[in-house]
Amino acid sequence: MSSSPYQPAATLLNQLWEQSDQSKRKKSLKSLVFDDKTGQLKCSKTTYAQACHVQKHLPTLQAVWKKHVHQNPAVTVQNEGLLYVLLYELLLGPNQSIRGGGKLKRQLTQQEAALRKHLRQIQASSPGEETSDDDTWPRYIRVNTCQNTTQQVVDVLRSIMSDDANFTIYLDAHVSDLLVVPPSATALILSHTAGDADKKEKGKWNPQTSIVLQDKSSCFPALCLVSLLSADPRFQSWELMDACAAPGNKTTHLAALASQFMAGTQQKPCTIHALDRDKQRHALLQRRCEALVNGDDRVLIQTKQQDFLTVNPKEYLNVRGILLDPTCSGSGMRDKGLKHLTEKENEGEERLEKLSYFQYKALLHACSFPQVEYIVYSTCSVNAEENENVVHRVLAELPSTWHVVPPPALAHWKRRGQASSKDTDEKHMIRVDPLEDETNGFFVCCLARSSLHSMSKQDASLPRKAIQKQAKVLGLPVYTPNTFATMAKESKKQTMEATNKSEKNRTGNEKTPKESISSQCDTNLDRKKNGKRKTADDASSSQNSKKTRSSKISGVKDVAVKESDADDKHAKKRAKRLEWKQKQREAKLQRLQVKSK
Ligand SMILES: C[S@@+](CC[C@H](N)C(=O)[O-])C[C@H]1O[C@@H](n2cnc3c(N)ncnc32)[C@H](O)[C@@H]1O
């Protein structure tokens, strides 16, 4: 038995990889660790988080190990899972060290310098092809249909991206007017169009108001609320509330969808009350609503800085729909989420309790609005405590006419609520898995007050057909899962094949750049040693004698240190340059986003 504290994560990964080889119906990491019936985690959060990290960085770790084995063919490792967990901890983990003991730990730490060198080379040689989530997750662009048609935006994006064949634009498979582009495209789109920022007229492309960079799952709440209201013929006018609205992504999405619906009817303009209790966030909300929605006379947004829990429901007698997206732990967010999993078991429990109590209070308060018919409750958390449990707790206190309803627009979304032992409501709730759905983890639950709401079985083909129809009109393909991840893997494979081929082509006599450097290092080394000038012949003989000397430990050490220094210098320089470029792009993106807010 291994003494390693990483063994549980290693076992989990071995289990995952072994069944991937044998069985046709592969289980994902998530389905291996969560109990099908109770939805409870079967291992510790730490074990799950370690396994997630390894899976995320597996291509890089495998490439490092491949290089290592190439140089040390005698190396063999039995426990592949443990190998990659330890490699991750040593090279990429938060402490960059391995806890505990064991033979494999000793073996890896002894080779740490060489392993790090491989890692640097891999990172420097293929920075754009890292297959981590950040580089393969699609980027979502929501068209603000209050200012432009989707066709107008698509035409502009096409012209911006026309120079690069890799930049295909897709339409999302679930959210209308949501475009999907490769991760590398967003910076290009925003920077390319920054000069047009002063064109504020409606219908004219303006990157700050024509589009919103909004993650897919965060588009679900407004989509759900509008699909429920528009399927209900009882209401002649819509008065809605976004109870926790800042910075206004969902409010403005709600406005855009409501406006589209109003366009096809004789209804009065829709009113949206958008509240936030935080002063600064409310100011931002107000600015964004003005910029994104003003000029669209089918919808009116009234913002207010107020604590939702202090709102008197009797002052909003005509409110029919409430969108409630309260503060949550954010454990579904891809950058926060894995951090949350590595928290100590008890850590954060108190915070979670406070959050879920606030969420319960807010949802109960929303249900007390006299005329409200639909409430869409959402969080970007993956904890049942903030999601299903909150809904059950609230429903237990309400008259039985209140019930969970399935959102028509997401009838074709497969992932549903985590089932508790008694309830069947979960099949109507929406869950988004940050590890599998290429968008942040999310939860949406729709509540309806009246039993009049039709619970007839929803036809999943309807929303799917609607998206296909829109894609056809726009001339766009519908995005299919993992498109960019597959492309990144393919491109990485090709680069590796090309590199291997060119390395093989080099003949024994011909010096590779690396050998030239090492030869130079040898010369310098010998110069220092002998204290006299050496000839070119001396230098080459020093290179030729490298193999002979390599058996003498001290000589090998010196040469290796010099060689790795020179190699490192180049790799570092390259990595620094790429890092700087990336930072510039990100800073530009941020500036543009701040401007647009
Ligand atoms: C998750 S964010 C909302 C994000 C927003 N729905 C969007 O999509 O842009 C939660 C917001 O709720 C606000 N908030 C928290 N407690 C509140 C309360 N009691 N009343 C009103 N707003 C509250 C916070 O200030 C924060 O802006």
Side-chain angles (χ1 to χ4, degrees):
M1 278 291 281
S2 165
S3 58
S4 173
Y6 304 102
Q7 190 53 49
T11 308
L12 183 59
L13 288 164
N14 283 332
Q15 211 182 336
L16 176 78
W17 299 332
E18 275 160 23
Q19 57 106 35
S20 299
D21 290 342
Q22 294 158 2
S23 56
K24 276 188 186 150
R25 288 196 65 214
K26 293 178 205 169
K27 275 194 165 189
S28 66
L29 186 57
K30 181 135 192 248
S31 42
L32 280 175
V33 296
F34 282 101
D35 189 292
D36 288 346
K37 287 194 183 122
T38 62
Q40 298 295 312
L41 200 55
K42 290 192 277 185
C43 60
S44 78
K45 282 182 185 172
T46 312
T47 299
Y48 181 37
Q50 280 166 353
C52 289
H53 286 305
V54 172
Q55 270 298 92
K56 180 176 169 188
H57 296 282
L58 195 59
T60 306
L61 296 172
Q62 280 174 328
V64 168
W65 190 245
K66 199 176 154 195
K67 266 186 172 246
H68 185 66
V69 174
H70 187 68
Q71 291 187 354
N72 306 275
V75 173
T76 52
V77 172
Q78 301 293 329
N79 188 338
E80 220 185 326
L82 190 59
L83 166 70
Y84 286 116
V85 178
L86 297 196
L87 262 185
Y88 167 78
E89 290 294 325
L90 183 65
L91 302 179
L92 301 166
N95 303 318
Q96 310 233 327
S97 65
I98 304 174
R99 287 183 289 123
K103 191 175 152 204
L104 188 54
K105 173 192 170 166
R106 283 194 296 281
Q107 216 176 313
L108 295 180
T109 41
Q110 272 164 13
Q111 299 294 324
E112 186 176 346
L115 292 165
R116 285 202 182 282
K117 192 175 129 192
H118 298 328
L119 177 70
R120 280 195 295 274
Q121 285 170 344
I122 286 158
Q123 287 174 334
S125 66
S126 54
E129 287 144 16
E130 275 277 86
T131 47
S132 72
D133 289 351
D134 285 351
D135 305 305
T136 59
W137 262 25
R139 296 296 187 266
Y140 299 97
I141 297 179
R142 175 168 72 76
V143 176
N144 176 23
T145 52
C146 289
Q147 301 294 343
N148 288 85
T149 64
T150 304
Q151 187 69 66
Q152 282 167 338
V153 169
V154 168
D155 290 345
V156 174
L157 295 187
R158 273 201 183 115
S159 69
I160 294 171
M161 294 156 103
S162 63
D163 295 342
D164 197 325
N166 291 323
F167 283 178
T168 310
I169 309 168
Y170 298 83
L171 184 68
D172 183 70
H174 299 93
V175 184
S176 59
D177 309 304
L178 186 69
L179 306 176
V180 190
V181 295
S184 48
T186 20
L188 175 78
I189 292 165
L190 290 173
S191 61
H192 196 91
T193 53
D196 290 348
D198 47 339
K199 288 182 191 164
K200 290 233 165 75
E201 272 169 73
K202 200 172 164 181
K204 285 253 172 81
W205 165 256
N206 171 0
Q208 289 157 32
T209 55
S210 302
I211 55 172
V212 179
L213 298 183
Q214 185 169 348
D215 195 48
K216 170 172 176 166
S217 54
S218 109
C219 295
F220 285 0
L223 186 71
C224 291
L225 185 55
V226 170
S227 69
L228 284 166
L229 285 162
S230 52
D232 191 328
R234 284 176 292 168
F235 313 123
Q236 289 314 303
S237 64
W238 288 8
E239 195 167 322
L240 313 173
M241 180 175 282
D242 188 348
C244 297
N249 282 340
K250 296 179 190 70
T251 319
T252 52
H253 188 207
L254 191 59
L257 293 171
S259 169
Q260 278 183 32
F261 176 75
M262 301 298 151
T265 68
Q266 297 297 314
Q267 292 207 14
K268 287 193 214 146
C270 163
T271 303
I272 302 173
H273 304 280
L275 313 181
D276 203 281
R277 74 166 175 196
D278 184 277
K279 192 176 171 195
Q280 280 181 346
R281 289 175 71 87
H282 169 260
L284 174 63
L285 168 72
Q286 196 171 22
R287 280 201 305 277
R288 292 193 75 213
C289 289
E290 272 167 21
L292 294 166
V293 180
N294 265 7
D296 185 330
D297 49 18
R298 289 190 289 264
V299 60
L300 173 74
I301 300 183
Q302 290 178 342
T303 71
K304 192 168 181 189
Q305 187 210 332
Q306 188 173 0
D307 183 335
F308 175 60
L309 297 179
T310 68
V311 171
N312 180 359
K314 292 192 183 121
E315 287 174 17
Y316 294 91
L317 283 177
N318 296 320
V319 165
R320 302 289 188 174
I322 296 181
L323 205 149
L324 178 65
D325 183 44
T327 305
C328 69
S329 64
S331 59
M333 307 289 282
R334 62 177 156 165
D335 39 356
K336 274 195 194 173
L338 291 175
K339 233 189 261 168
H340 148 84
L341 284 170
T342 48
E343 274 178 357
K344 294 213 177 76
E345 304 281 323
N346 306 338
E347 225 176 78
E349 249 172 40
E350 205 178 308
R351 183 170 169 253
L352 201 59
E353 237 169 66
K354 275 190 189 155
L355 282 169
S356 61
Y357 183 68
F358 163 65
Q359 291 152 354
Y360 148 78
K361 285 295 242 187
L363 185 53
L364 201 60
H365 190 58
C367 296
S368 72
F369 280 60
Q371 300 266 19
V372 75
E373 282 295 334
Y374 298 107
I375 294 169
V376 174
Y377 172 73
S378 63
T379 72
C380 54
S381 159
V382 289
N383 306 324
E385 292 91 327
E386 299 176 83
N387 299 332
E388 291 88 348
N389 298 1
V390 169
V391 175
H392 290 312
R393 195 173 166 191
V394 168
L395 281 178
E397 295 191 24
L398 292 173
S400 60
T401 50
W402 275 102
H403 54 294
V404 178
V405 289
L410 289 178
H412 60 320
W413 180 263
K414 294 266 180 310
R415 202 175 303 285
R416 297 290 160 150
Q418 282 178 6
S420 61
S421 48
K422 291 183 228 139
D423 276 289
T424 53
D425 282 342
E426 278 78 4
K427 66 174 186 288
H428 301 320
M429 301 179 192
I430 300 291
R431 273 262 182 177
V432 179
D433 184 331
L435 294 170
E436 305 202 1
D437 295 329
E438 297 190 288
T439 174
N440 286 319
F442 214 77
F443 173 81
V444 187
C445 176
C446 306
L447 295 173
R449 176 196 290 271
S450 161
S451 49
L452 287 177
H453 176 87
S454 157
M455 286 287 285
S456 58
K457 206 169 176 303
Q458 286 178 354
D459 185 353
S461 71
L462 289 180
R464 193 178 287 127
K465 275 183 192 154
I467 292 284
Q468 280 164 351
K469 193 173 158 195
Q470 192 189 19
K472 202 172 168 194
V473 171
L474 295 168
L476 299 180
V478 176
Y479 184 78
T480 48
N482 295 317
T483 300
F484 300 136
T486 314
M487 275 159 66
K489 263 190 202 151
E490 200 47 47
S491 142
K492 192 177 173 98
K493 204 172 133 197
Q494 280 171 9
T495 315
M496 279 182 106
E497 276 169 9
T499 315
N500 288 344
K501 213 172 164 186
S502 76
E503 264 175 20
K504 266 187 202 161
N505 285 345
R506 286 189 191 123
T507 58
N509 289 338
E510 196 186 319
K511 276 180 198 159
T512 63
K514 190 169 144 186
E515 284 164 351
S516 305
I517 291 166
S518 103
S519 149
Q520 195 68 47
C521 290
D522 274 358
T523 317
N524 293 341
L525 195 71
D526 289 342
R527 248 185 237 156
K528 267 191 194 165
K529 265 190 193 163
N530 301 333
K532 61 175 186 180
R533 218 182 141 77
K534 284 215 166 202
T535 63
D537 285 343
D538 290 335
S540 84
S541 80
S542 158
Q543 167 68 21
N544 291 338
S545 66
K546 195 173 130 196
K547 278 194 189 110
T548 332
R549 282 193 284 118
S550 69
S551 56
K552 296 175 195 163
I553 292 167
S554 62
V556 170
K557 242 187 183 170
D558 285 346
V559 172
V561 169
K562 282 280 175 188
E563 180 183 317
S564 106
D565 280 349
D567 239 7
D568 284 358
K569 241 183 176 174
H570 280 269
K572 267 185 195 161
K573 249 185 170 177
R574 240 181 116 191
K576 258 193 170 166
R577 210 171 48 233
L578 289 160
E579 198 183 319
W580 180 83
K581 273 189 179 171
Q582 180 64 20
K583 275 191 181 149
Q584 293 293 313
R585 272 203 295 270
E586 281 167 7
K588 195 165 191 175
L589 200 81
Q590 261 180 5
R591 279 200 303 277
L592 289 161
Q593 280 174 338
V594 168
K595 257 190 189 176
S596 80
K597 284 172 188 168

